[in-house]
Amino acid sequence: MTLDVSASLDIDLLIDDPATRIIVCCGAGGVGKTTTAAALGVRAAERGRKVVVLTIDPARRLAQSMGIDSLDNTPRQVKGIDGEGELHAMMLDMKRTFDEIVEAHADGERARAILENPFYQSLSAGFAGTQEYMAMEKLGQLRARDEWDLIVVDTPPSRSALDFLDAPKRLGSFLDGKFIKLLMAPAKMGGRAGMKFLNVGMSMMTGTLGKLLGGQLLRDVQTFVAAMDTMFGGFRTRADATYRLLQAPGTAFLVVAAPERDALREAAYFVERLAAEEMPLAGLVLNRVHGSGAARLSAERALAAAENLDEGRIVDQESGKTGARDATAASPETPPVDHAPGEHEAQGDHPDHTTEQLTAGLLRLHAERMQVLAREQRTRDRFTALHPEVAVGQGAALPRDVHDLAGLRAIGDRLATGGRTPAGAA
């Protein structure tokens, strides 16, 4: 048994459609976004598409599961893909991406001056939102190359939902002409008044920039702004272009969630925010859903049967073995039989006792599983009641962590079949 899904999300229809060029997996942290993105990439590649998966997850599970020693800012082909397609994978290096922008839009001498500038080094490595912005910048670069049929994006882990949508606008505004004037003004004013004015602007930056103090900071800012002056407009232009790309018909958003109350509450917010931003939502992927091959046995009946076994009130109606044993034990004519210590265990004189204990334990485990299923069903029902228009797909929980392509392939299979699993699977 798995959860009943009314509006079903057809994963294969989505990834097979040549019009689908970008799939963005978003959701709260810890719900399996990275695994889902990788599994979709494997499945799409094995169904004939040329795919690149861009992950922003700082953990390197993706590289390990794909058999690559390490991922970096350059797409690397994954070996072992069955079929005619190709799979490439990469991990965002936000500072390297920022450096690439500088190198692409400035001549050699100016680019070197920017890259070596302490103010730039702090900005590229520590500004709040830089990771999200660079993820979208890298997405724009990949799409512009037109080298892949499908780009699958694993969005950055973030405390605030959909920060990556805000980042292009936020960093674009941060680096526009007004900000240049803000930074240049204190350098022109000089003295304590200038530093006081500068501190107003610096409140928007991370603690990293706060470590750079005094006149040296002002000189670094002047040098940085002078070198970057011709590039600031490009940030805003590319940010706007990336935002339009996310809204384009060829993009599909998948909200990934676990079948838990907090995760689905966050997923509901994602769905509403995507609708407000006019982003194309393909559906919700409900990840790590539990199932049972014995769903007809309810939790209540399983617990009752376990209690009966514990109390010794279950009689084997077919063989009468338990009743016969009890009668023999109660008969005064039955001579006692002496056994050496441990002989019962060695000869297995009381197999029913052990079997009943094991059976009672399994019944209790089954009852717990059925209670989990019921809780997941109620949680999903609350979400679908609020958002009946959202197609829902689901992937069954695996009995172990995913460490290789076979595991990712299994995840993709389960996503495509709506979470149905072979008998006995978790």
Side-chain angles (χ1 to χ4, degrees):
M1 171 188 172
T2 55
L3 301 186
D4 295 329
V5 178
S6 51
S8 179
L9 173 64
D10 192 329
I11 288 294
D12 285 345
L13 183 63
L14 177 66
I15 62 178
D16 289 347
D17 186 355
T20 304
R21 303 298 302 274
I22 298 171
I23 295 177
V24 181
C25 295
C26 58
V31 296
K33 283 189 313 234
T34 300
T35 303
T36 299
L40 290 174
V42 171
R43 189 168 184 85
E46 295 191 334
R47 294 174 70 86
R49 303 198 72 179
K50 187 175 181 181
V51 187
V52 60
V53 176
L54 168 63
T55 182
I56 299 92
D57 190 343
R60 300 189 178 268
R61 296 187 305 273
L62 181 62
Q64 296 168 358
S65 63
M66 292 184 171
I68 301 175
D69 293 336
S70 64
L71 293 178
D72 55 24
N73 224 33
T74 302
R76 297 179 181 275
Q77 186 168 0
V78 177
K79 305 298 182 183
I81 294 297
D82 298 331
E84 298 180 359
E86 292 182 13
L87 178 63
H88 301 250
M90 61 185 297
M91 179 176 289
L92 179 73
D93 182 333
M94 75 172 178
K95 187 177 187 313
R96 182 59 202 150
T97 300
F98 211 149
D99 292 349
E100 289 172 354
I101 296 171
V102 172
E103 292 168 350
H105 295 88
D107 57 51
E109 184 176 349
R110 178 171 293 187
R112 186 164 52 255
I114 294 171
L115 297 177
E116 294 176 354
N117 185 276
F119 186 86
Y120 166 78
Q121 292 173 1
S122 296
L123 177 68
S124 60
F127 175 68
T130 300
Q131 184 184 51
E132 289 83 358
Y133 176 86
M134 291 305 155
M136 295 301 98
E137 181 80 34
K138 180 58 68 175
L139 171 60
Q141 292 176 6
L142 293 173
R143 185 66 182 87
R145 289 166 63 177
D146 203 27
E147 184 176 344
W148 292 276
D149 298 334
L150 179 64
I151 303 169
V152 182
V153 182
D154 165 35
T155 56
S158 176
R159 292 182 180 180
S160 178
L162 300 180
D163 269 358
F164 69 94
L165 286 181
D166 295 324
K169 289 183 177 179
R170 189 166 59 245
L171 194 59
S173 298
F174 190 61
L175 297 176
D176 66 11
K178 293 180 180 179
F179 179 61
I180 296 175
K181 294 177 182 178
L182 174 66
L183 290 179
M184 289 299 290
K188 293 178 180 179
M189 293 170 61
R192 295 183 178 179
M195 284 306 299
K196 183 178 180 181
F197 187 75
L198 178 64
N199 285 338
V200 176
M202 291 305 101
S203 64
M204 295 182 290
M205 298 187 181
T206 62
T208 304
L209 296 180
K211 297 178 181 178
L212 302 174
L213 301 173
Q216 182 60 49
L217 173 58
L218 293 178
R219 288 189 292 273
D220 291 339
V221 169
Q222 282 183 301
T223 304
F224 169 75
V225 171
M228 290 283 287
D229 188 29
T230 59
M231 294 183 56
F232 283 114
F235 282 100
R236 169 58 67 86
T237 301
R238 286 192 302 278
D240 292 342
T242 301
Y243 198 79
R244 289 194 299 271
L245 179 63
L246 292 174
Q247 293 176 315
T251 299
F253 281 83
L254 287 177
V255 177
V256 183
E260 300 167 359
R261 181 180 301 178
D262 290 344
L264 277 173
R265 185 184 296 116
E266 189 79 357
Y269 173 77
F270 275 59
V271 167
E272 293 162 6
R273 176 69 193 284
L274 286 169
E277 299 286 341
E278 299 182 348
M279 299 292 175
L281 173 64
L284 170 75
V285 172
L286 204 55
N287 205 10
R288 302 170 185 164
V289 175
H290 292 88
S292 173
R296 287 181 294 178
L297 178 59
S298 68
E300 293 76 12
R301 290 176 58 197
L303 289 173
E307 290 176 2
N308 286 337
L309 283 170
D310 286 341
E311 294 173 5
R313 289 186 283 141
I314 294 294
V315 176
D316 187 341
Q317 298 293 339
E318 192 172 306
S319 65
K321 189 172 183 181
T322 302
R325 187 177 68 248
D326 291 344
T328 302
S331 173
E333 298 178 1
T334 303
V337 180
D338 294 331
H339 296 283
E343 189 175 344
H344 287 297
E345 291 77 3
Q347 296 181 1
D349 282 358
H350 297 291
D352 289 342
H353 180 67
T354 302
T355 300
E356 289 171 1
Q357 285 181 323
L358 289 173
T359 303
L362 289 174
L363 285 167
R364 287 193 171 86
L365 287 174
H366 175 75
E368 291 178 5
R369 171 58 65 91
M370 295 305 296
Q371 289 167 352
V372 169
L373 264 64
R375 184 172 64 250
E376 291 179 352
Q377 179 70 62
R378 290 192 300 270
T379 303
R380 179 198 170 276
D381 287 347
R382 281 194 290 268
F383 174 87
T384 54
L386 289 172
H387 298 284
E389 78 285 357
V390 178
V392 180
Q394 60 188 41
L398 290 176
R400 61 188 64 84
D401 291 337
V402 176
H403 296 295
D404 52 23
L405 277 178
L408 291 174
R409 195 174 288 119
I411 291 286
D413 290 344
R414 294 178 183 219
L415 288 173
T417 57
R420 294 188 297 276
T421 58

